[in-house]
């Protein structure tokens, strides 16, 4: 099968590799589409260390073509969306309803759950990004990282629910619990930030301020209808702009979708006493923050999320239904399509801000 294999920093090659087979508890998916996410980029450039060679891709959707021994919740022919959250349903956190903190799904190991690899080229092992490696015509995925969905949903749109779009929607809808009539600021208007704004608007937020250091990205949020205000953080003080939009009080909810040094400080300063600040992601370098305890004495909540804090098998089909009913337009966020042969271009376009939500569609 054809796959985009990363052999080292800035060395991604689209080539033929061996056809893989699932082991116990795993399924084989004919990948229909896969989102292009910053995490893929961070590994392709070497910013995040992973074992090479590795097949990138962790936002896959497709059709199950084979199941390994012991698979019971997914069948051949099922349309599925993968997930970066794969709850074991048995550990400390899963039993407490916090599947995104599952203890039995370590990040970025490059192997399958049992520590071995499924992919190879001429018999030499190739690693897999986050139990999936979906920059390929087929992916081997543990059953618990896969969610069956309705068959009439377009896989090139819903694949983003595997990671980026769900992370944003869940940050607003599940983690923060945005309520109707509220005000929201989102720093970072890339794919995850736009998804956060979409989730906030879906929940009825009436003021949504999109902040980005690239003016065009913030303006696009307003054009898409997910934000009411666009703020160019390279040209003005975003905190002052949010205060102006919220009667001088600050937003009810603030989200840091940029994860750069200083962006959480902006979010906290732009959020009112009693408000909630959520860290959604970070650039892969370590980011530290120093808080004046007044921020907390004024009863702000400062927290974060992994993967939108969703339970994939519960929330992903709900998001798909809302999209299909026209109530949650995740399709509008897509702005670039590629073939698998163009995987390097897709990553390069993301790197240089030429797309916000790109998708690779298999031929
Ligand atoms: Zn668990
Ligand atoms: Zn991702």
């Amino acid at each position: 099968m054809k796959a985009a294999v990363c052999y080292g920093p800035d060395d991604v090659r689209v080539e033929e590799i061996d056809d893989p087979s699932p082991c116990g508890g795993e399924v084989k998916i004919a990948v229909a589409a896969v989102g292009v996410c910053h995490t893929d980029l961070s590994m392709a450039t070497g910013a995040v260390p992973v074992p090479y060679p590795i097949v990138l891709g962790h936002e896959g959707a497709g059709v199950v073509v084979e199941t390994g021994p012991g698979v019971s919740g997914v069948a051949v022919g099922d349309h599925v969306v993968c997930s970066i959250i794969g709850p074991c349903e048995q550990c400390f956190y899963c039993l407490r309803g916090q599947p995104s903190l599952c203890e039995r799904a370590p990040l970025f190991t490059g192997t399958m759950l049992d520590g071995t690899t499924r992919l190879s080229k001429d018999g030499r092992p190739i690693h897999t990004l986050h139990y999936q490696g979906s920059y390929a015509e087929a992916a081997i995925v543990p059953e618990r990282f896969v969610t069956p969905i309705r068959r009439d949903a377009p896989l090139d749109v819903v694949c983003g629910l595997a990671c980026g779009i769900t992370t944003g929607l869940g940050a607003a809808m599940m983690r923060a619990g945005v309520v109707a009539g509220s005000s929201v600021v989102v720093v970072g208007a890339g794919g995850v930030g736009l998804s956060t704004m979409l989730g906030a608007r879906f929940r009825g937020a009436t003021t949504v301020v999109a902040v980005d250091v690239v003016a065009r990205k913030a303006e696009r949020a307003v054009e898409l209808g997910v934000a009411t205000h666009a703020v160019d953080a390279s040209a003005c003080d975003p905190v002052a702009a949010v205060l102006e939009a919220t009667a001088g009080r600050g937003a009810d909810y603030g989200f840091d979708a940029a994860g750069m040094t200083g962006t959480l400080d902006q979010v906290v300063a732009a959020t009112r006493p009693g408000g909630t600040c959520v860290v959604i992601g970070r650039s892969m370098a370590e980011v530290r923050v120093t808080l004046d305890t007044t921020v907390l004495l004024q009863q702000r909540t400062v927290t974060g999320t992994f993967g939108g804090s969703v339970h994939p098998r519960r929330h992903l089909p709900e998001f798909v239904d809302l999209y299909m009913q026209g109530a949650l337009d995740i399709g509008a966020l897509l702005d670039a399509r590629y073939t698998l042969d163009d995987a390097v271009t897709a990553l390069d376009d993301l790197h240089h801000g030429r797309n916000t939500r790109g998708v690779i569609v298999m031929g």
Side-chain angles (χ1 to χ4, degrees), residues 248-281:
R249 200 174 291 123
D252 300 316
Y253 305 93
F255 298 89
D256 181 6
M260 310 295 281
T261 297
T263 51
L264 180 59
D265 305 77
Q266 290 174 346
V267 167
V268 169
T271 303
R272 68 166 170 83
T276 298
C277 308
V278 181
V279 176
I280 308 176

Side-chain angles (χ1 to χ4, degrees), residues 37-39 58-59 84 163-164:
C37 173
H38 266 281
T39 303
H58 62 285
E59 291 195 357
I84 57 169
C163 170

Side-chain angles (χ1 to χ4, degrees), residues 65-284:
V65 291
E66 189 180 346
T67 58
V71 170
S72 57
V74 185
V76 169
D78 280 354
H79 288 213
V80 294
V81 176
C82 297
S83 179
I84 57 169
I85 300 171
C88 73
E89 309 293 2
Q90 294 171 354
C91 75
F92 178 92
Y93 293 104
C94 284
L95 292 176
R96 282 157 182 79
Q98 295 178 305
S100 54
L101 302 178
C102 177
E103 289 175 324
R104 297 181 185 171
L107 287 171
F108 310 146
T109 61
T111 67
M112 301 305 282
L113 289 166
D114 64 2
T116 64
T117 54
R118 293 296 166 273
L119 305 180
S120 60
K121 180 178 169 67
D122 303 327
R124 294 191 309 277
I126 295 176
H127 296 88
T128 302
L129 177 50
H130 207 53
Y131 314 111
Q132 189 182 140
S134 43
Y135 282 11
E137 291 173 321
I140 305 294
V141 190
E143 176 186 13
R144 60 178 162 105
F145 284 84
V146 159
T147 296
I149 57 163
R150 54 195 278 178
R151 297 189 182 193
D152 58 345
L155 294 169
D156 58 339
V157 173
V158 299
C159 66
L161 292 171
C163 170
I165 292 176
T166 289
T167 297
L169 292 177
M173 296 163 68
M174 283 78 197
R175 193 76 186 105
V178 170
V179 298
S182 57
S183 55
V184 170
V185 55
V186 179
V187 175
V192 173
L194 290 174
S195 304
T196 306
M197 298 175 215
L198 180 63
R201 290 289 269 173
F202 175 78
R203 279 292 170 87
T206 43
T207 301
V208 177
V209 184
V211 177
D212 203 288
V213 290
V214 179
R216 182 176 48 79
K217 290 170 83 172
E219 285 158 10
R220 181 161 177 256
V222 174
E223 288 162 15
L224 286 170
V226 295
T228 53
H229 299 64
V231 174
D232 175 3
S234 71
C236 69
D237 174 12
V239 176
V242 173
L243 292 176
E244 191 182 322
T246 55
R249 200 174 291 123
D252 300 316
Y253 305 93
F255 298 89
D256 181 6
M260 310 295 281
T261 297
T263 51
L264 180 59
D265 305 77
Q266 290 174 346
V267 167
V268 169
T271 303
R272 68 166 170 83
T276 298
C277 308
V278 181
V279 176
I280 308 176
R282 64 171 201 188
S283 59
M284 290 300 171

